[in-house]
Amino acid sequence: MHPASPLPLPDTLHPVETPEGVMLWLRPAGAVPRLLAGGLDMLFRALIFIVASLLLDHWGSLGTGLQLLLFFLLEWFYPVLFECLPGSATPGKRFVGLRVVMGSGLPVTLGASLLRNVLRAVDFLPTAYALGTLCMLLRPDCRRLGDLVADTLVVYRSAPGWQRAWPPGPAAAPARPLSAAQQAAILGLAERCERLSPERFNELAQLAHSVLPTELPPDTPAGERLLALARWLAGQRNDG
Amino acid sequence: MMSALAFEAQYRPQWEQLRQALAGGANAGTGLTLVQTYRSTCEHLALARSRHYPLRLVQELEQLTALAHQHVYRPPAMQPLWALRRWWRAVPEALRAQRGALWVSLASFALPLLAMLALTWWEPSWVLSVLSASQAHMFEQMYGPDVQDFGRLRDAGDDWTMFGYYILHNIGIGFQCFAGGLLLGLGSLFYLVLNGVILGAVAGYLTHQGLGQAFWGFVVGHAPFELSAVVLAGAAGLRLGQALLMPGRLRRSQALIEAGHAVTPLVWAVMVLLVGAAWLEAFWSSIVWMPMSIKLSMSAVGWALVLTWFSGWTWRGAGDDR
């Protein structure tokens, strides 16, 4: 078992402290999902424009004027509109699973949304969002220039959700008392049992053999022993 | 210490209650019960973390708390009329607060404009220093004696088409003028000087060519809104540049956020002014038969409106609550 590390692990998580004194961890999205969402939005905007143009073409000069107006609105206000609706995400971002929030973790405001989208003009420079992408790559919270000024973040909507409940079964006490960090490590491994192949899970569980329960039948694999220990640590007792 | 299973069994009904209240939408989940349930869930999250409960439980509580946090501390629902009134007052306030940036912006736009105007009026060949010969010729055609609409070539579209074009083109320039401020203010300065120089050159050149009546007749109508919008956009951009170059006692990132916050009303104002200017430019300024005197008086009214708004006279001393 490793001793508890004194330094926090390097991560891109963005901490926000609520007034209740609880830390919330936002998960900023990296450059690739954001560019993907941007590309999808560009596609959606082009589709809207083409469909509208087919209709407006029959309206003569009024149609041409409305077409230009629509182009303007799609260019600058399509993101503002969708970011201010519930869900705080353009269709592209929604598709990729992202949303826009303020740096405080709260829903994005109208003013901030306008600011971050108007400033796309400078993120775009010199071409194809090069400056914005560079800025995103240089920062752990992956903000582009517009996000920096508007104090906004693009985050994942939900956590990856790797942890699952372990399968039901018997519980067994550890061979010797465990520290809090050791207990957490056992529980963390047990929650990942379904994402690992049984062989690999047994192999990893074997590393903890000195603490695994001894009261189980002798031919029980290490993985089963570790799960029984996790059940015991979570509070399950066989007699009750 | 309570075991994870007992903890979950005891408090899960509360979490479900909170989840249901949040699912009820913006209206269903308000009031004391929601806030109390939210606070105790925050407490449960802190306990679950400090007691190293299974991560599955901790993550579930994290997501629930984050969702409730967004709901409890969301900004109040905006009433359009109230927001409009607040913005109307915020613009003169922001201009007063950013008067330094405003004067720099005005100077970098107006001085090149006046200098170029004088230069090309006195010696028209100077126009070729900023425009190509074909561009200069095109401007002459736009204001020539046999033109049907001021400011347009013969094959340009009619009023509606031009309105769409002006919106797309002019507001794009306004936004660039603002966003360029993030390049240490240089982008804003560049666009201000460039637009000033070109406008001055065209004005001086056409006046010298004897097309002044048509040209000034075209521009005076929308000038109050368009020129002030350009200066405002430049000022807002320069304020961003200032935050980068001279953050004062703040971190640069914090200075940028504060600058962004301070200039947001101005960005809205730029947009509104440019939409108004585009409307006038398409439907009013291009009318050829309108006598110059009427156009000039409408322009004076426009300047009076804009400057009164900027000076803050529209609400100062009205005994209004702030």
Side-chain angles (χ1 to χ4, degrees):
Chain A
M1 288 275 158
H2 295 287
S5 165
L7 288 173
L9 295 170
D11 209 332
T12 56
L13 293 179
H14 182 84
V16 169
E17 192 178 358
T18 73
E20 289 74 27
V22 172
M23 279 298 205
L24 297 179
W25 301 93
L26 302 175
R27 298 162 195 277
V32 173
R34 290 188 59 177
L35 290 175
L36 188 65
L40 281 173
D41 276 328
M42 209 176 281
L43 196 72
F44 294 146
R45 288 197 309 224
L47 278 177
I48 296 175
F49 185 72
I50 290 169
V51 170
S53 298
L54 289 177
L55 296 172
L56 291 172
D57 267 349
H58 304 291
W59 289 21
S61 72
L62 176 64
T64 320
L66 290 179
Q67 222 172 325
L68 290 164
L69 200 64
L70 179 70
F71 191 86
F72 165 77
L73 290 175
L74 284 175
E75 175 70 27
W76 296 105
F77 286 94
Y78 162 98
V80 178
L81 173 73
F82 283 110
E83 282 169 12
C84 291
L85 289 176
S88 321
T90 57
K93 289 197 186 77
R94 203 176 287 254
F95 201 82
V96 182
L98 312 177
R99 64 193 309 241
V100 184
V101 294
M102 299 301 291
S104 58
L106 293 177
V108 68
T109 60
L110 181 61
S113 180
L114 175 82
L115 211 53
R116 74 186 293 276
N117 282 302
V118 167
L119 289 170
R120 279 185 307 148
V122 67
D123 275 309
F124 185 82
L125 292 175
T127 183
Y129 292 104
L131 203 56
T133 310
L134 186 72
C135 186
M136 281 196 255
L137 291 174
L138 288 175
R139 297 183 58 90
D141 56 6
C142 202
R143 285 168 152 164
R144 60 176 176 80
L145 294 169
D147 288 322
L148 285 175
V149 178
D151 189 22
T152 51
L153 270 177
V154 178
V155 297
Y156 284 106
R157 249 196 311 220
S158 50
W162 288 330
Q163 286 76 21
R164 300 277 158 73
W166 44 72
R176 57 178 170 82
L178 297 176
S179 71
Q182 288 168 331
Q183 294 187 22
I186 298 283
L187 289 175
L189 180 55
E191 285 183 309
R192 296 184 65 187
C193 73
E194 282 179 1
R195 298 188 68 246
L196 298 165
S197 68
E199 293 78 14
R200 178 66 180 145
F201 183 57
N202 278 325
E203 204 179 355
L204 286 171
Q206 190 59 39
L207 295 174
H209 67 91
S210 64
V211 303
L212 293 182
T214 50
E215 63 205 69
L216 294 167
D219 57 336
T220 316
E224 277 305 314
R225 286 171 191 273
L226 188 124
L227 286 177
L229 173 54
R231 290 183 199 113
W232 192 88
L233 291 175
Q236 185 186 330
R237 296 294 179 270
N238 289 332
D239 48 24
Chain B
M1 186 177 92
M2 204 178 203
S3 78
L5 287 178
F7 183 80
E8 194 176 350
Q10 181 167 351
Y11 295 119
R12 182 161 289 282
Q14 266 193 46
W15 306 336
E16 291 308 323
Q17 193 190 339
L18 179 61
R19 203 186 298 278
Q20 275 173 11
L22 291 172
N27 301 321
T30 50
L32 197 58
T33 350
L34 177 99
V35 175
Q36 280 171 347
T37 329
Y38 164 61
R39 296 238 160 95
S40 51
T41 308
C42 283
E43 213 171 294
H44 300 157
L45 171 61
L47 283 174
R49 275 180 181 156
S50 68
R51 291 174 181 174
H52 295 286
Y53 281 159
L55 280 175
R56 169 185 59 84
L57 195 61
V58 176
Q59 282 196 346
E60 188 190 337
L61 283 173
E62 273 175 0
Q63 295 221 347
L64 186 59
T65 316
L67 206 66
H69 172 247
Q70 289 222 336
H71 184 79
V72 172
Y73 292 101
R74 71 190 186 279
M78 223 184 324
Q79 295 179 344
L81 210 64
W82 179 80
L84 205 66
R85 269 163 63 96
R86 220 178 66 149
W87 166 74
W88 184 261
R89 295 168 176 195
V91 170
E93 278 175 1
L95 283 176
R96 195 159 305 174
Q98 317 303 338
R99 62 171 84 87
L102 184 67
W103 290 123
V104 175
S105 170
L106 182 62
S108 18
F109 180 65
L111 294 182
L113 192 155
L114 292 174
M116 212 56 199
L117 176 70
L119 207 59
T120 45
W121 201 333
W122 167 64
E123 175 52 64
S125 63
W126 272 98
V127 77
L128 295 176
S129 63
V130 288
L131 296 178
S132 68
S134 61
Q135 281 172 321
H137 182 64
M138 185 190 76
F139 278 112
E140 268 185 88
Q141 278 185 327
M142 282 162 64
Y143 302 97
D146 56 343
V147 75
Q148 291 158 339
D149 295 298
F150 286 152
R152 291 180 202 166
L153 292 172
R154 274 188 172 282
D155 52 351
D158 74 351
D159 291 358
W160 274 104
T161 310
M162 291 316 283
F163 176 58
Y165 172 75
Y166 290 141
I167 291 260
L168 182 62
H169 182 251
N170 295 3
I171 300 187
I173 288 191
F175 283 173
Q176 275 173 345
C177 220
F178 163 62
L182 266 187
L183 307 172
L184 307 179
L186 294 177
S188 297
L189 275 183
F190 172 77
Y191 280 115
L192 285 169
V193 172
L194 181 78
N195 283 312
V197 161
I198 291 184
L199 189 56
V202 171
Y205 174 68
L206 292 178
T207 312
H208 186 272
Q209 300 299 97
L211 303 173
Q213 181 83 4
F215 175 77
W216 294 105
F218 177 69
V219 295
V220 287
H222 57 269
F225 307 100
E226 194 162 291
L227 298 188
S228 54
V230 169
V231 172
L232 251 60
L238 287 172
R239 178 70 183 79
L240 293 186
Q242 186 198 357
L244 278 175
L245 288 170
M246 298 180 276
R249 303 180 72 174
L250 299 171
R251 296 167 62 100
R252 275 199 170 74
S253 57
Q254 195 57 38
L256 259 186
I257 292 172
E258 299 215 340
H261 204 72
V263 301
T264 307
L266 298 185
V267 180
W268 285 113
V270 166
M271 205 178 66
V272 170
L273 286 169
L274 285 176
V275 169
W279 183 268
L280 286 175
E281 191 170 0
F283 295 100
W284 166 264
S285 301
S286 56
I287 304 175
V288 171
W289 52 264
M290 190 71 67
M292 190 67 179
S293 55
I294 295 185
K295 285 203 161 173
L296 279 174
S297 20
M298 287 309 284
S299 176
V301 171
W303 279 115
L305 282 176
V306 168
L307 293 179
T308 313
W309 179 29
F310 289 173
S311 65
W313 284 348
T314 45
W315 54 269
R316 210 149 40 112
D320 232 332
D321 60 305
R322 287 196 54 194

